[in-house]
Amino acid sequence: MIRPVTAADLPAFHTVMLAAGMDPRSSWNRTTLEGLEQSLFAPGSGGFVAVCGGEVCGCVGFRPDREDTLTLNRLATLPDMRGQDIGAALVRAVETVAAERGFRRVLLAVSQFNLEVVPYYERLGYVQANEIYAFASPGSPVPVVLVKRIVGIGSTDLDNRLAEITQKLAELKKLDVNHLIFGSEIHRYELHPPISKEQLGKTAQSFGIDFPEDYAQFLTTVGNGGAGPDYGIFSLDESLELCNTLAIGREFPHRKAWQPLVENLSDGTPRGQGKIPYYINNPVTELDRKKQRAWNEFYYDGNNSSGSMCIGEQGCGHMTLLVVCGPERGNIWVDSRATNYGITPLKKDKSGTTFLQWYEDWLDQAVEQLRGKND
């Protein structure tokens, strides 16, 4: 039986913890009854005990960490009661609390002295995250942080898709240990810690924009950049550094592929899509150079990508844009001006490709590719 912990359970809770057989170097073994009481019964905190034959045989605690995260801690079962899924039941109890309270994820930290339990948590759906544990014991080695997205009560389709992305990314990391997928040797399937909703809101307000919902929730619940298509996704700050911040709040100017016609500077012959004249990049006469300067000022003007932000690099100068203003808001475009192919939409269907569709397609294709290699 799993039930909420009470003050009367503290001695038994403490006994189960100390009986878990943790490495003597771990701060776990320095837990006192007083410290345990303060941790379990602080505002918003709590815990559960598992009762077997009338005696406490397992325990777990939790406490809030930021607005979207519930931290799981102090999970333990008596050695002779292991193998009966008591630990998993206690973890599910904490996850239920997270869902009921509207937390989007559960986070836990594993001591460097107890790394053999990491696979256990991964089987329960937790994935390693490149985050700093807010409650780490001073003087102890930096713990390994694992997180799991929680689909809450009344959750939306977007919540479900983001939770599935987290699981697929963990699978992809396991499948691609040799980094066969293009760009993975750069991001190594690691995500940066999520950004707070407050910080994201302040950024949006300062630039007068409204970030697309799927992108915003990705940043605040999955990761603020890191693993993703091609060489990965830029953090919000990196994206803003690369865009024309003076024009980001203006409407994105394109509705279809943009590659203006230019005349051949030597013979006046018009050229079309993707066929910038040779003399643009290799001027011969002074007239060529004059027209080249005029062309570059026009072609690479930041206003040609206004209302968008660069969220990733594809290689060879191709950049991934996310439109944040105008009718194309929420869709992915590709800026290939560096290779003279203009700015073009990444089309999945007539309505374009959204941020989440782009990310999901990358995951699905990469997993399918690696499963084929491993069969």
Side-chain angles (χ1 to χ4, degrees):
M1 178 181 70
I2 307 294
R3 61 170 175 78
V5 66
T6 67
D9 295 318
L10 284 174
F13 194 115
H14 190 248
T15 297
V16 172
M17 282 187 62
L18 297 185
M22 186 69 72
D23 188 292
R25 294 171 292 176
S26 172
S27 60
W28 176 284
N29 296 303
R30 298 192 292 274
T31 303
T32 64
L33 274 172
E34 180 181 5
L36 186 60
E37 181 177 15
Q38 292 175 350
S39 173
L40 290 174
F41 299 112
S45 299
F48 293 93
V49 293
V51 179
C52 310
E55 301 292 334
V56 173
C57 59
C59 60
V60 70
F62 61 82
R63 57 184 165 189
D65 174 17
R66 292 171 294 183
E67 60 186 8
D68 67 339
T69 303
L70 190 67
T71 293
L72 180 152
N73 54 31
R74 309 185 191 283
L75 178 66
T77 57
L78 292 175
D80 60 352
M81 299 301 296
R82 291 172 184 167
Q84 301 182 41
D85 287 334
I86 294 173
L90 288 165
V91 170
R92 287 194 296 271
V94 173
E95 292 172 354
T96 298
V97 171
E100 291 174 345
R101 296 188 183 181
F103 290 102
R104 293 189 177 274
R105 59 185 202 146
V106 172
L107 177 149
L108 60 91
V110 175
S111 166
Q112 291 288 342
F113 305 125
N114 195 34
L115 295 180
E116 62 271 15
V117 303
V118 169
Y120 170 77
Y121 287 115
E122 289 179 333
R123 288 194 296 273
L124 296 179
Y126 288 79
V127 297
Q128 295 187 43
N130 182 26
E131 297 190 31
I132 296 175
Y133 184 49
F135 305 108
S137 298
S140 295
V142 177
V144 174
V145 173
L146 297 99
V147 298
K148 180 177 181 179
R149 278 195 51 80
I150 300 299
V151 179
I153 297 172
S155 61
T156 64
D157 176 63
L158 180 55
D159 293 321
N160 295 331
R161 291 170 68 188
L162 290 170
E164 189 172 348
I165 279 176
T166 302
Q167 301 304 316
K168 286 184 178 179
L169 187 59
E171 179 185 3
L172 185 53
K173 183 176 182 179
K174 290 181 179 180
L175 286 171
D176 194 17
V177 293
N178 294 318
H179 300 117
L180 301 177
I181 297 300
F182 175 78
S184 61
E185 72 280 3
I186 301 299
H187 57 71
R188 306 182 74 84
Y189 302 109
E190 298 289 343
L191 289 164
H192 304 317
I195 190 174
S196 70
K197 291 181 180 178
E198 179 182 12
Q199 185 178 352
L200 185 67
K202 288 181 178 178
T203 301
Q205 185 176 19
S206 66
F207 289 104
I209 57 177
D210 183 18
F211 293 111
E213 185 181 3
D214 57 349
Y215 176 68
Q217 284 207 32
F218 186 96
L219 294 182
T220 58
T221 64
V222 179
N224 180 21
D230 307 309
Y231 290 117
I233 299 176
F234 296 138
S235 69
L236 180 61
D237 285 344
E238 290 170 333
S239 293
L240 292 173
E241 287 175 3
L242 290 170
C243 74
N244 181 1
T245 53
L246 295 177
I248 192 174
R250 302 174 189 166
E251 183 174 305
F252 186 67
H254 312 299
R255 303 292 179 270
K256 58 183 180 180
W258 177 77
Q259 175 56 290
L261 294 173
V262 296
E263 67 175 6
N264 186 299
L265 299 185
S266 61
D267 61 13
T269 303
R271 297 296 182 94
Q273 298 280 343
K275 296 181 180 179
I276 301 297
Y278 175 80
Y279 297 103
I280 285 289
N281 294 323
N282 300 275
V284 175
T285 67
E286 181 57 35
L287 177 60
D288 287 348
R289 285 187 282 272
K290 181 178 179 181
K291 288 190 174 182
Q292 180 200 48
R293 288 192 293 271
W295 169 258
N296 286 342
E297 288 178 4
F298 160 71
Y299 194 56
Y300 296 105
D301 189 325
N303 289 314
N304 292 324
S305 58
S306 63
S308 72
M309 53 194 294
C310 180
I311 62 171
E313 181 183 358
Q314 301 180 9
C316 299
H318 298 271
M319 310 300 284
T320 303
L321 303 180
L322 175 65
V323 180
V324 295
C325 288
E328 284 292 311
R329 177 180 175 274
N331 286 336
I332 297 292
W333 283 60
V334 181
D335 186 344
S336 300
R337 284 177 291 176
T339 54
N340 298 326
Y341 277 82
I343 301 175
T344 57
L346 186 64
K347 287 286 188 181
K348 186 178 179 69
D349 52 42
K350 292 183 179 180
S351 61
T353 300
T354 66
F355 170 81
L356 220 55
Q357 288 173 333
W358 170 68
Y359 200 96
E360 289 168 331
D361 286 348
W362 167 71
L363 279 174
D364 291 341
Q365 292 167 14
V367 168
E368 183 178 357
Q369 176 182 336
L370 291 169
R371 281 177 177 168
K373 289 181 179 294
N374 294 334
D375 286 344

